[in-house]
Each structure stands twice: as C-alpha cells, then as structure tokens.
Amino acid sequence: MNDIPKYSLIIPIYNEEENLAELYRRISPVMDRMDGRVELILINDGSRDRSLEILRDLHEKDSRICYLSLARNFGHQIAVTAGLNFSSGQVVVIMDGDLQDPPELILDMIEQWRLGYQVVYAQRTQRRQEGWFKRLPAYMYYRILRHLADVDIPIDTGDFCLMDRCVVEVLNAMPERNRYIRGLRAWIGFKQTAVKFERDPRFAGDVKYTFSKSLALAMNGLVSFSKVPLRLSIYLGLFAAFVSLLMAFLVLYWRLFYPSSVLTGFTIVMMAVFFLGAVQLVSIGILGQYVGRIYEEVKGRPLYTLAEVAGFADRQNKQKSS
C-alpha cells in the first residue's frame, strides 16, 4: 500500500520541448511540499519534436515521473483520458504543460480538497497578454454553453482541476469517445468549488490550440451537452415556413397592385430557393454532428494506442480502451 501514490499529476504534452525544463523546475518544489507520495504522469501526444526524448531523461532523473507515449496524436482530451486511466492517486490533478496553468496553484486546490470538496476547478479571472480576438469569443462561448447545456458547466474554466479518486473512477467508467472533460466533470456532480487565478501567457513556443482546434473543442462541448442545436432545426423550419408564407402574400400583393414590378419575377423566386436551401443545409449539418457521434460510438475502437510506457511498475504494458 505504501507504493500507491497519494497524488497523481497529469500533464499532456504535444511539441513542448521548449517548456519541459521550466515545467519541471516549477513543479518539483510543489511536489516536494505535498504530504504524500506523488506521481507525475506526462503524456506524449504524438509530439514531432524532442519532447519524448526529454521525457525519457526526466524519468531517469526523477523516479516520481512516469510517462506515456501515444502511438500518434490523438488530441488533448484523449491524452488527458489516458493519464486518468493510468493514475492511481487518491487526488488527481490535471493541468497543461505550457505553464499557463501555474503549478503553485495546486497547493491551494489541495487545501480545498482537505475541506471536503471532491472537485476543485481553476477559474480564470483574467487572461494575461491575450488579445480581444481570443478573449471575446472565449467569453461569449462559455456563457452560451452554460445557457444551452443540460448541466451547469462553470464559466471561464478549462481542464485545470483537482479531482478526488471517487470522481476519477466515475469518469474512467464513462464509455463515450467524444470526450469533453470539463463538461463530464460537471455532469458527474459531487461537491465542487472554484479557485480563482490569473492565466499566464505561454512560457515558450507556439500556441498548440489553434483557432480550428479551439472551435472543434467548442463544438464538441456544445453537441455533447446540449440538444438545443437539434431544436434549432425545428425553429429554422418554422421561421422558413413563416417567411415563405409572407413572401407569398407579398407576391400576390405586388401582382395585384404592381404588376410590372421585377420583384414578382425571377429574383424573388431565387431568393426563396436560396433561403430554403440554406435552412435545409444547416439542419442537415446539425443532424450530421449528432449522427457522426453515434457512428464513432458504435465502432467501439480503443480511445488511444500506446507506443511506450515507463514508470508504472504494475501497468508497464497496459493499454486502456475506455
């Protein structure tokens, strides 16, 4: 029992060779101050730089460091899921490896856990050195998601959080493949609280979550936790029917009182065709998002495959699929 760590720290890594040395330098004192054995689980998510080589060196240097190397890039949420599957601590912390999530905040999270909270999530009060082009969409998205989602997902929160083992066990048992960790964390329930912090800029390197990836994650969260987009198709259909009826009355009016008007000819017909076509395409696209998720679920493939595992004495060749 003494070999089981009390704390598991999970950090997904994707092309972070410039950040890993500083990450280790900052997180080591935090681990030293914890009142129990710690395992630091670093997940190489198919990096193309020297990240894996650096992880190997860190593992040789510090026995607390374990690492997983995924066989290819499976994405941030799947990398976090792999870390959760392999974690064994009573307390599990998820954070990013770009140092925008300050490791020192982990100690404050642990204090809240000691007060009886099973989930402690970091809530951003400010994004340092980020332009309005990034802050404004993020601000709007979290509030729209909270309004539309079936569960109460806290605003301005990411995956940086602490979870008790009981929460992690429930999360690991959930079979869905399109993972949105912060939404699943809220759906599970238990006693939750927030720790406020100011998000630092990336320490070094380029941003790994590009606009397209952020948009895909946002869509994933919306579709995973809300049926409102499906209802939107109904509303669009009703609105299209109303507009079509209104246009029919207008055409009749123009035909009776302005028979020479060009609006009663080809132009009005094309406007109606394009409008109805747009409504149909939007509705099919929304439906396709949900059907696509059903398709992914029924295939039953593993969430990830592992190319290399180190530091897990009893799980050296273990591959999880859920």
Side-chain angles (χ1 to χ4, degrees):
M1 293 297 292
N2 293 332
D3 292 334
I4 299 177
K6 182 176 181 179
Y7 301 99
S8 296
L9 311 182
I10 297 172
I11 305 179
I13 302 296
Y14 178 64
N15 294 339
E16 296 288 2
E17 63 177 358
E18 297 172 297
N19 288 315
L20 285 172
E22 178 66 12
L23 173 65
Y24 178 70
R25 186 191 71 80
R26 284 184 58 182
I27 205 169
S28 290
V30 176
M31 294 192 293
D32 293 338
R33 293 174 60 184
M34 293 181 183
D35 61 336
R37 185 166 175 254
V38 184
E39 64 174 2
L40 175 58
I41 304 175
L42 302 173
I43 304 98
N44 175 45
D45 187 22
S47 298
R48 296 187 297 271
D49 61 3
R50 295 180 56 253
S51 293
L52 179 57
E53 180 182 338
I54 296 173
L55 295 187
R56 293 185 183 123
D57 293 340
L58 289 175
H59 171 63
E60 293 296 326
K61 177 181 178 181
D62 192 334
S63 62
R64 296 174 297 182
I65 295 179
C66 317
Y67 70 86
L68 309 170
S69 183
L70 305 187
R72 64 170 177 84
N73 177 247
F74 284 88
H76 181 274
Q77 299 295 288
I78 299 302
V80 170
T81 299
L84 290 171
N85 291 161
F86 275 79
S87 68
S88 55
Q90 178 62 32
V91 176
V92 178
V93 176
I94 301 170
M95 62 176 291
D96 289 337
D98 55 9
L99 292 173
Q100 289 189 284
D101 298 336
E104 297 77 13
L105 196 66
I106 294 174
L107 299 176
D108 295 331
M109 292 178 167
I110 292 174
E111 288 300 320
Q112 294 299 314
W113 173 72
R114 291 196 181 105
L115 293 176
Y117 293 99
Q118 287 105 350
V119 175
V120 184
Y121 50 84
Q123 191 167 45
R124 296 181 291 266
T125 59
Q126 184 177 346
R127 294 171 175 259
R128 295 175 178 170
Q129 297 184 15
E130 289 187 358
W132 66 268
F133 182 76
K134 185 172 183 179
R135 293 200 309 267
L136 181 60
Y139 177 88
M140 294 175 60
Y141 165 71
Y142 282 113
R143 283 148 185 82
I144 291 172
L145 178 63
R146 189 175 193 181
H147 180 71
L148 298 182
D150 299 328
V151 296
D152 185 15
I153 301 177
I155 60 174
D156 300 324
T157 60
D159 295 324
F160 188 21
C161 69
L162 175 150
M163 294 183 289
D164 187 87
R165 170 52 51 182
C166 63
V167 179
V168 175
E169 291 297 334
V170 176
L171 196 57
N172 284 340
M174 302 178 82
E176 60 191 87
R177 324 200 82 70
N178 290 282
R179 316 286 286 187
Y180 187 66
I181 302 297
R182 66 200 73 170
L184 295 175
R185 183 182 70 206
W187 183 90
I188 289 172
F190 292 97
K191 193 175 180 182
Q192 305 196 11
T193 191
V195 172
K196 309 286 186 179
F197 81 110
E198 294 184 2
R199 188 172 177 84
D200 294 325
R202 163 177 278 274
F203 176 75
D206 297 327
V207 175
K208 302 305 184 293
Y209 246 108
T210 60
F211 177 77
S212 60
K213 289 183 178 180
S214 298
L215 181 61
L217 182 65
M219 289 296 297
N220 183 31
L222 184 60
V223 175
S224 294
F225 291 93
S226 176
K227 295 184 285 293
V228 172
L230 286 174
R231 301 191 194 105
L232 181 62
S233 300
I234 300 174
Y235 302 147
L236 283 173
L238 293 174
F239 178 70
F242 171 77
V243 172
S244 299
L245 184 62
L246 179 62
M247 291 174 68
F249 280 115
L250 287 174
V251 170
L252 180 62
Y253 172 79
W254 286 321
R255 178 66 68 182
L256 292 175
F257 296 99
Y258 302 97
S260 61
S261 174
V262 296
L263 293 174
T264 59
F266 179 78
T267 304
I268 197 75
V269 173
M270 292 304 298
M271 288 176 58
V273 170
F274 277 107
F275 176 76
L276 293 175
V279 170
Q280 291 173 342
L281 289 174
V282 169
S283 300
I284 293 172
I286 293 172
L287 186 60
Q289 286 288 324
Y290 288 89
V291 173
R293 289 170 184 277
I294 297 172
Y295 173 67
E296 289 294 328
E297 296 292 336
V298 299
K299 284 190 294 187
R301 293 175 183 170
L303 285 178
Y304 54 85
T305 55
L306 294 170
E308 188 174 337
V309 180
F312 304 92
D314 58 338
R315 295 161 282 176
Q316 195 68 20
N317 297 312
K318 188 176 185 179
Q319 293 195 32
K320 299 271 187 171
S321 61
S322 62

